[in-house]
Amino acid sequence: LVDAGCSMRQVKNSLLDFDTSIEKIDAIFVSHEHHDHISKVAQLSRRFDIPVYASIKTWRNLPFYDDYFPWERHIFEYGMKIGEMCVDFFRLSHDAVEPCGFVFGYQGKRVGIATDTGLITSSMLRQLADVDGLVFEANHDCSMLRQGSYPAFLKHRVAGEYGHLSNDQAVEALSKLVGINTQQIILAHLSEQNNCPKLAYRAVRTALDRMNLDIAVSVAPGKTAHPLVAI
Ligand SMILES: [Zn+2]
Ligand SMILES: [Zn+2]
């Protein structure tokens, strides 16, 4: 499980919808310490005895740091394996201490996750090149953000290099990342105020069509689970 910012019931029900259960989760990975990503991590981990993994600096900034014994604070390592799944991670550019994205490898397939980044980082491009499946941030439409109701400082934060990727930046990154193996892109972390799913979808779909690539694109709903995707 990557991050846990929604209610425990939502996590449990979503997993049940996918014919699995919270008891089958072997690890929770924390991408960064922002509240919307970690608010239910400790609760889930304690209740269901699931180990939590984060970078060293992120651990130190987690509000539940002191509630965990040192040996319970699992740290990201290069070449990590959880059961049969390989896990790699890479740096993002975000206003958190050590934000990370992930690549999960299993039986020759790789799935990447990258949200909460203001820049397309070089390690992101390296790690996510030609992944089979990709959950990727398309946070805002630039003109919606500009004309929207956010205060100026927040507009700066979102659009800045430690903020979030716009639809245009997502298009730019995805055009570089997709390859012959890429089957599915799920756009994620859309702003409710500064984006709309149709705009994000259209921007990416148009770019991929121009490249003549037949890759499925969908948008992750904010409050409910995206349907299960098999890669
Ligand atoms: Zn964040
Ligand atoms: Zn976030």
Side-chain angles (χ1 to χ4, degrees):
L1 185 67
V2 175
D3 296 339
C6 54
S7 75
M8 202 132 96
R9 181 187 295 179
Q10 264 178 306
V11 176
K12 281 176 77 173
N13 289 346
S14 301
L15 290 167
L16 286 176
D17 286 346
F18 301 153
D19 282 334
T20 183
S21 69
I22 192 82
E23 285 82 9
K24 290 188 179 166
I25 300 288
D26 291 320
I28 301 175
F29 292 93
V30 177
S31 64
H32 65 298
E33 70 275 19
H34 285 164
H35 183 77
D36 56 324
H37 293 256
I38 60 148
S39 59
K40 294 293 181 289
V41 167
Q43 216 177 324
L44 281 168
S45 141
R46 286 311 191 201
R47 174 93 177 268
F48 298 98
D49 200 19
I50 309 170
V52 178
Y53 289 75
S55 76
I56 293 178
K57 285 187 187 164
T58 297
W59 257 118
R60 288 195 197 118
N61 282 272
L62 291 174
F64 47 85
Y65 178 84
D66 288 327
D67 304 336
Y68 281 71
F69 288 114
W71 58 87
E72 290 178 313
R73 296 177 203 134
H74 300 277
I75 308 290
F76 295 156
E77 281 171 47
Y78 286 101
M80 246 182 338
K81 275 193 117 183
I82 304 290
E84 287 173 56
M85 182 151 63
C86 306
V87 187
D88 260 314
F89 55 96
F90 51 90
R91 268 308 289 267
L92 298 169
S93 175
H94 193 54
D95 53 358
V97 287
E98 208 164 35
C100 292
F102 304 97
V103 187
F104 298 98
Y106 180 68
Q107 294 188 342
K109 303 284 184 197
R110 292 188 308 137
V111 171
I113 299 185
T115 69
D116 297 77
T117 186
L119 288 179
I120 304 157
T121 63
S122 53
S123 58
M124 177 201 287
L125 291 179
R126 236 185 353 262
Q127 292 270 17
L128 295 179
D130 198 21
V131 285
D132 299 86
L134 192 50
V135 177
F136 202 81
E137 170 161 71
N139 176 260
H140 57 277
D141 171 79
C142 290
S143 50
M144 279 180 79
L145 177 66
R146 242 189 335 263
Q147 291 154 21
S149 61
Y150 273 19
F153 82 91
L154 204 50
K155 289 183 182 182
H156 270 288
R157 189 222 147 214
V158 170
E161 56 185 298
Y162 299 107
H164 293 279
L165 292 181
S166 68
N167 294 344
D168 292 343
Q169 284 173 301
V171 166
E172 186 194 333
L174 290 168
S175 309
K176 291 176 183 163
L177 289 174
V178 293
I180 47 164
N181 287 314
T182 313
Q183 299 171 29
Q184 173 91 35
I185 294 167
I186 299 176
L187 301 173
H189 213 297
L190 272 73
S191 163
E192 272 179 34
Q193 300 228 21
N194 305 310
N195 207 353
C196 89
K198 273 185 192 156
L199 275 180
Y201 173 83
R202 210 180 301 141
V204 172
R205 183 74 273 165
T206 307
L208 294 177
D209 285 347
R210 256 190 226 125
M211 294 167 75
N212 248 329
L213 290 170
D214 183 26
I215 297 168
V217 179
S218 55
V219 176
K223 300 267 189 281
T224 53
H226 185 285
L228 186 65
V229 172
I231 299 288

